Amino acid sequence: MLTFADAPGKGTVHLERFTSDLYLEKRSDVDHYRVMYEHLQAKTLDPESTSQLIPHAGRSRARASDASSHQLRLLGHQRAEA
């Protein structure tokens, strides 16, 4: 969301998409995104909690990746035996 000091109460929402970008300037659209952004900010973790979560999330992802790799190897062996 882009806001401008010389135009208080106005703004532009920039949506970056895979093949194009979209800019929303209609007041109701900007207000909708502003409310969503405020809700996201209210739910974020503080810096200390975030720094504790990141290593945990990385370990969880690594375990999930290892489990998926193991399942694929088992599936490959089962197909080879059939």
Side-chain angles (χ1 to χ4, degrees), residues 1 4 17-18 31-32 38 41 43-44 49 66 68 72-77 79-80:
M1 184 173 343
F4 307 97
R17 301 176 344 180
F18 186 68
D31 288 345
H32 175 76
E38 289 169 358
Q41 283 184 310
K43 297 291 183 183
T44 60
S49 297
D66 290 345
S68 294
L72 288 174
R73 284 193 301 275
L74 288 176
L75 182 60
H77 290 300
R79 287 186 179 166

Side-chain angles (χ1 to χ4, degrees), residues 1-73:
M1 184 173 343
L2 309 170
T3 56
F4 307 97
D6 61 342
K10 294 188 178 184
T12 300
V13 174
H14 173 224
L15 301 174
E16 187 174 330
R17 301 176 344 180
F18 186 68
T19 58
S20 64
D21 295 341
L22 182 63
Y23 292 89
L24 305 175
E25 296 178 338
K26 191 171 145 185
R27 179 68 181 242
S28 61
D29 292 336
V30 173
D31 288 345
H32 175 76
Y33 278 88
R34 182 176 289 121
V35 168
M36 287 193 329
Y37 184 72
E38 289 169 358
H39 283 273
L40 284 173
Q41 283 184 310
K43 297 291 183 183
T44 60
L45 296 173
D46 60 80
E48 183 178 336
S49 297
T50 300
S51 66
Q52 293 173 4
L53 176 67
I54 291 172
H56 174 72
R59 288 190 299 274
S60 295
R61 178 141 173 83
R63 284 193 300 271
S65 178
D66 290 345
S68 294
S69 296
H70 179 71
Q71 290 172 342
L72 288 174
R73 284 193 301 275

